[in-house]
Amino acid sequence: MAATLLPIFLIPSSFAAQELSENERALFDAANRERGAKSLPALHWDEALTVAARKHANRMAFYNLVEHQLSGEPDLEARLALAGARFSIIAENIAVASNPETIHAGWMDSPGHRRNILNPDLTAVGIAAVRGSGGLFAVQDFSLPVTVLSTEQQEKKVISLMTAMGMHGVTAGDDARKTCDMESGIYGPTARPVRAMRFEVSDLSKLPESVEKNLRGLSFQKAEVGACRASKAPGFAHYRVAILLF
């Protein structure tokens, strides 16, 4: 059997020196060893996720309960958002046992927990391990973190994606922005035929497949893009955009 080189997973020195306990490091390293064995990229340590995980682990230890949401506590999405995390995907593992090795083994023996650890779409993690009367209470909070874009940045991103498809004459405009705010119809009078397309996504690295397909199937002289605020909880990056075709 060929020898395998094990990757070294680095944590910022500020966490290693001030924040990360031995038990938390053990769980972090164990998770990344599992991912490395499957040729998956290593998870990186996330400060906001860690803040959320520690609050939840302390609460579980205090009440001596292992639950994803304890009485009077926000759900996972709200907990991560309150800690400052911004994301498009989230997941959580929780457990209690005598030591991190037993906790990790239990997670890997559970299909759902194992799936979270080995999910290639999850790239960041915050881990907490808090000793309580019932044992070591552990939390792994995972996410696919995102950079929150302003409406102007969203418009620029959509314009660049449409331009990359070979579409010219694409600009940002108020009519599209106001159309974005409407549930149906098109803002403002127009003497020319126009088509409005609205979509909501959590990731603007590409256009939704349905939008791209419709754009390729239509002929138009110019296009106007407008973004508006989406009604969604603050943690999830959630974008709402309208495209007007002339």
Side-chain angles (χ1 to χ4, degrees):
M1 181 175 178
T4 302
L5 295 176
L6 294 178
I8 297 173
F9 306 111
L10 299 179
I11 300 170
S13 59
S14 58
F15 293 120
Q18 302 170 22
E19 298 289 338
L20 203 62
S21 73
E22 248 181 66
N23 291 326
E24 289 162 352
R25 177 182 284 279
L27 290 170
F28 178 73
D29 289 345
N32 274 331
R33 278 197 299 272
E34 302 288 358
R35 289 174 70 94
K38 299 291 185 182
S39 300
L40 296 171
L43 294 162
H44 72 262
W45 190 266
D46 184 279
E47 181 178 7
L49 296 179
T50 301
V51 168
R54 291 231 170 103
K55 285 184 179 178
H56 189 57
N58 277 308
R59 195 175 181 92
M60 290 198 305
F62 179 82
Y63 289 106
N64 200 25
L65 289 172
V66 181
E67 301 285 349
H68 287 286
Q69 185 176 10
L70 295 167
S71 178
E73 184 184 37
D75 64 11
L76 175 61
E77 178 183 334
R79 284 195 278 114
L80 300 188
L82 286 169
R86 297 296 179 264
F87 39 78
S88 59
I89 306 172
I90 54 175
E92 180 174 78
N93 286 346
I94 56 174
V96 62
S98 58
N99 56 63
E101 293 76 20
T102 302
I103 289 170
H104 178 72
W107 280 339
M108 292 305 293
D109 284 340
S110 164
H113 297 89
R114 178 187 177 90
R115 186 162 52 247
N116 288 340
I117 291 172
L118 298 179
N119 187 338
D121 294 326
L122 296 169
T123 62
V125 70
I127 300 175
V130 176
R131 185 68 65 178
S133 60
L136 186 66
F137 290 81
V139 177
Q140 283 180 326
D141 283 338
F142 304 89
S143 80
L144 176 61
V146 297
T147 301
V148 178
L149 303 177
S150 68
T151 52
E152 182 182 3
Q153 290 171 323
Q154 293 171 47
E155 290 166 356
K156 287 181 178 178
K157 184 63 179 173
V158 173
I159 290 170
S160 70
L161 291 170
M162 292 176 68
T163 302
M165 291 174 62
M167 301 174 185
H168 304 291
V170 186
T171 60
D174 284 336
D175 283 355
R177 294 181 188 116
K178 290 172 180 175
T179 298
C180 180
D181 273 324
M182 299 166 58
E183 289 302 318
S184 61
I186 301 168
Y187 174 82
T190 177
R192 290 169 293 176
V194 65
R195 167 110 177 240
M197 302 171 64
R198 296 178 185 81
F199 63 91
E200 295 191 21
V201 292
S202 60
D203 178 13
L204 272 178
S205 62
K206 60 181 180 180
L207 292 172
E209 186 177 339
S210 59
V211 172
E212 188 170 321
K213 182 179 179 180
N214 284 335
L215 286 172
R216 292 193 187 280
L218 295 172
S219 60
F220 54 92
Q221 293 182 336
K222 68 173 186 174
E224 188 174 293
V225 172
C228 59
R229 187 172 180 176
S231 56
K232 189 72 175 177
F236 276 103
H238 196 68
Y239 307 121
R240 181 177 169 91
V241 180
I243 300 173
L244 299 183
L245 305 177
F246 297 86

PDB file of all heavy atoms in Angstrom, residues 38-52:
ATOM      1  N   LYS A  38     -10.161  11.659   2.196  1.00  0.00           N
ATOM      2  CA  LYS A  38     -11.087  11.609   1.063  1.00  0.00           C
ATOM      3  C   LYS A  38     -10.710  12.621  -0.030  1.00  0.00           C
ATOM      4  O   LYS A  38     -11.499  12.879  -0.945  1.00  0.00           O
ATOM      5  CB  LYS A  38     -12.518  11.905   1.532  1.00  0.00           C
ATOM      6  CG  LYS A  38     -13.071  10.919   2.545  1.00  0.00           C
ATOM      7  CD  LYS A  38     -13.304   9.558   1.923  1.00  0.00           C
ATOM      8  CE  LYS A  38     -13.963   8.612   2.909  1.00  0.00           C
ATOM      9  NZ  LYS A  38     -14.156   7.256   2.325  1.00  0.00           N
ATOM     10  N   SER A  39      -9.509  13.174   0.077  1.00  0.00           N
ATOM     11  CA  SER A  39      -9.007  14.173  -0.887  1.00  0.00           C
ATOM     12  C   SER A  39      -9.909  15.405  -0.943  1.00  0.00           C
ATOM     13  O   SER A  39     -10.065  16.024  -2.005  1.00  0.00           O
ATOM     14  CB  SER A  39      -8.862  13.558  -2.290  1.00  0.00           C
ATOM     15  OG  SER A  39      -7.957  12.476  -2.262  1.00  0.00           O
ATOM     16  N   LEU A  40     -10.488  15.772   0.186  1.00  0.00           N
ATOM     17  CA  LEU A  40     -11.314  16.972   0.293  1.00  0.00           C
ATOM     18  C   LEU A  40     -10.485  18.114   0.873  1.00  0.00           C
ATOM     19  O   LEU A  40      -9.585  17.877   1.683  1.00  0.00           O
ATOM     20  CB  LEU A  40     -12.533  16.717   1.192  1.00  0.00           C
ATOM     21  CG  LEU A  40     -13.532  15.673   0.699  1.00  0.00           C
ATOM     22  CD1 LEU A  40     -14.552  15.368   1.793  1.00  0.00           C
ATOM     23  CD2 LEU A  40     -14.227  16.157  -0.559  1.00  0.00           C
ATOM     24  N   PRO A  41     -10.768  19.350   0.480  1.00  0.00           N
ATOM     25  CA  PRO A  41     -10.023  20.477   1.050  1.00  0.00           C
ATOM     26  C   PRO A  41     -10.260  20.594   2.553  1.00  0.00           C
ATOM     27  O   PRO A  41     -11.347  20.275   3.045  1.00  0.00           O
ATOM     28  CB  PRO A  41     -10.574  21.691   0.292  1.00  0.00           C
ATOM     29  CG  PRO A  41     -11.892  21.249  -0.247  1.00  0.00           C
ATOM     30  CD  PRO A  41     -11.775  19.787  -0.501  1.00  0.00           C
ATOM     31  N   ALA A  42      -9.240  21.042   3.252  1.00  0.00           N
ATOM     32  CA  ALA A  42      -9.351  21.195   4.703  1.00  0.00           C
ATOM     33  C   ALA A  42     -10.325  22.312   5.058  1.00  0.00           C
ATOM     34  O   ALA A  42     -10.440  23.316   4.355  1.00  0.00           O
ATOM     35  CB  ALA A  42      -7.979  21.506   5.289  1.00  0.00           C
ATOM     36  N   LEU A  43     -11.019  22.120   6.169  1.00  0.00           N
ATOM     37  CA  LEU A  43     -11.862  23.181   6.717  1.00  0.00           C
ATOM     38  C   LEU A  43     -10.959  24.259   7.308  1.00  0.00           C
ATOM     39  O   LEU A  43      -9.924  23.961   7.904  1.00  0.00           O
ATOM     40  CB  LEU A  43     -12.750  22.622   7.834  1.00  0.00           C
ATOM     41  CG  LEU A  43     -13.801  21.596   7.428  1.00  0.00           C
ATOM     42  CD1 LEU A  43     -14.285  20.826   8.656  1.00  0.00           C
ATOM     43  CD2 LEU A  43     -14.974  22.271   6.724  1.00  0.00           C
ATOM     44  N   HIS A  44     -11.346  25.513   7.156  1.00  0.00           N
ATOM     45  CA  HIS A  44     -10.593  26.560   7.844  1.00  0.00           C
ATOM     46  C   HIS A  44     -11.354  27.029   9.072  1.00  0.00           C
ATOM     47  O   HIS A  44     -12.571  26.981   9.127  1.00  0.00           O
ATOM     48  CB  HIS A  44     -10.249  27.724   6.907  1.00  0.00           C
ATOM     49  CG  HIS A  44     -11.398  28.587   6.515  1.00  0.00           C
ATOM     50  ND1 HIS A  44     -12.088  28.452   5.334  1.00  0.00           N
ATOM     51  CD2 HIS A  44     -11.995  29.625   7.170  1.00  0.00           C
ATOM     52  CE1 HIS A  44     -13.049  29.354   5.273  1.00  0.00           C
ATOM     53  NE2 HIS A  44     -13.025  30.076   6.381  1.00  0.00           N
ATOM     54  N   TRP A  45     -10.592  27.461  10.073  1.00  0.00           N
ATOM     55  CA  TRP A  45     -11.162  27.869  11.355  1.00  0.00           C
ATOM     56  C   TRP A  45     -11.808  29.231  11.214  1.00  0.00           C
ATOM     57  O   TRP A  45     -11.201  30.164  10.682  1.00  0.00           O
ATOM     58  CB  TRP A  45     -10.055  27.908  12.405  1.00  0.00           C
ATOM     59  CG  TRP A  45     -10.550  28.081  13.802  1.00  0.00           C
ATOM     60  CD1 TRP A  45     -10.686  29.249  14.475  1.00  0.00           C
ATOM     61  CD2 TRP A  45     -10.958  27.045  14.691  1.00  0.00           C
ATOM     62  NE1 TRP A  45     -11.168  29.016  15.740  1.00  0.00           N
ATOM     63  CE2 TRP A  45     -11.346  27.664  15.901  1.00  0.00           C
ATOM     64  CE3 TRP A  45     -11.047  25.662  14.583  1.00  0.00           C
ATOM     65  CZ2 TRP A  45     -11.799  26.947  17.001  1.00  0.00           C
ATOM     66  CZ3 TRP A  45     -11.491  24.949  15.679  1.00  0.00           C
ATOM     67  CH2 TRP A  45     -11.864  25.578  16.862  1.00  0.00           C
ATOM     68  N   ASP A  46     -13.042  29.354  11.685  1.00  0.00           N
ATOM     69  CA  ASP A  46     -13.795  30.600  11.527  1.00  0.00           C
ATOM     70  C   ASP A  46     -14.140  31.176  12.902  1.00  0.00           C
ATOM     71  O   ASP A  46     -14.740  30.505  13.739  1.00  0.00           O
ATOM     72  CB  ASP A  46     -15.074  30.322  10.728  1.00  0.00           C
ATOM     73  CG  ASP A  46     -15.861  31.586  10.429  1.00  0.00           C
ATOM     74  OD1 ASP A  46     -16.605  32.043  11.320  1.00  0.00           O
ATOM     75  OD2 ASP A  46     -15.732  32.101   9.310  1.00  0.00           O
ATOM     76  N   GLU A  47     -13.772  32.424  13.115  1.00  0.00           N
ATOM     77  CA  GLU A  47     -13.948  33.054  14.424  1.00  0.00           C
ATOM     78  C   GLU A  47     -15.422  33.213  14.789  1.00  0.00           C
ATOM     79  O   GLU A  47     -15.835  32.918  15.920  1.00  0.00           O
ATOM     80  CB  GLU A  47     -13.270  34.430  14.435  1.00  0.00           C
ATOM     81  CG  GLU A  47     -13.387  35.148  15.765  1.00  0.00           C
ATOM     82  CD  GLU A  47     -12.669  36.473  15.765  1.00  0.00           C
ATOM     83  OE1 GLU A  47     -12.188  36.892  14.692  1.00  0.00           O
ATOM     84  OE2 GLU A  47     -12.595  37.097  16.841  1.00  0.00           O
ATOM     85  N   ALA A  48     -16.246  33.691  13.851  1.00  0.00           N
ATOM     86  CA  ALA A  48     -17.659  33.913  14.148  1.00  0.00           C
ATOM     87  C   ALA A  48     -18.366  32.594  14.462  1.00  0.00           C
ATOM     88  O   ALA A  48     -19.181  32.517  15.394  1.00  0.00           O
ATOM     89  CB  ALA A  48     -18.341  34.615  12.975  1.00  0.00           C
ATOM     90  N   LEU A  49     -18.065  31.555  13.696  1.00  0.00           N
ATOM     91  CA  LEU A  49     -18.659  30.250  13.971  1.00  0.00           C
ATOM     92  C   LEU A  49     -18.236  29.731  15.342  1.00  0.00           C
ATOM     93  O   LEU A  49     -19.023  29.093  16.054  1.00  0.00           O
ATOM     94  CB  LEU A  49     -18.250  29.242  12.894  1.00  0.00           C
ATOM     95  CG  LEU A  49     -18.717  29.515  11.460  1.00  0.00           C
ATOM     96  CD1 LEU A  49     -18.205  28.426  10.529  1.00  0.00           C
ATOM     97  CD2 LEU A  49     -20.234  29.616  11.372  1.00  0.00           C
ATOM     98  N   THR A  50     -16.992  30.023  15.721  1.00  0.00           N
ATOM     99  CA  THR A  50     -16.494  29.583  17.026  1.00  0.00           C
ATOM    100  C   THR A  50     -17.232  30.276  18.159  1.00  0.00           C
ATOM    101  O   THR A  50     -17.581  29.656  19.169  1.00  0.00           O
ATOM    102  CB  THR A  50     -14.982  29.856  17.131  1.00  0.00           C
ATOM    103  OG1 THR A  50     -14.307  29.155  16.084  1.00  0.00           O
ATOM    104  CG2 THR A  50     -14.431  29.391  18.466  1.00  0.00           C
ATOM    105  N   VAL A  51     -17.476  31.574  17.996  1.00  0.00           N
ATOM    106  CA  VAL A  51     -18.227  32.322  19.010  1.00  0.00           C
ATOM    107  C   VAL A  51     -19.601  31.689  19.213  1.00  0.00           C
ATOM    108  O   VAL A  51     -20.046  31.461  20.346  1.00  0.00           O
ATOM    109  CB  VAL A  51     -18.366  33.803  18.601  1.00  0.00           C
ATOM    110  CG1 VAL A  51     -19.379  34.525  19.494  1.00  0.00           C
ATOM    111  CG2 VAL A  51     -17.009  34.504  18.667  1.00  0.00           C
ATOM    112  N   ALA A  52     -20.275  31.389  18.119  1.00  0.00           N
ATOM    113  CA  ALA A  52     -21.607  30.776  18.196  1.00  0.00           C
ATOM    114  C   ALA A  52     -21.536  29.382  18.817  1.00  0.00           C
ATOM    115  O   ALA A  52     -22.375  29.017  19.652  1.00  0.00           O
ATOM    116  CB  ALA A  52     -22.233  30.713  16.812  1.00  0.00           C
TER     117      ALA A  52
END
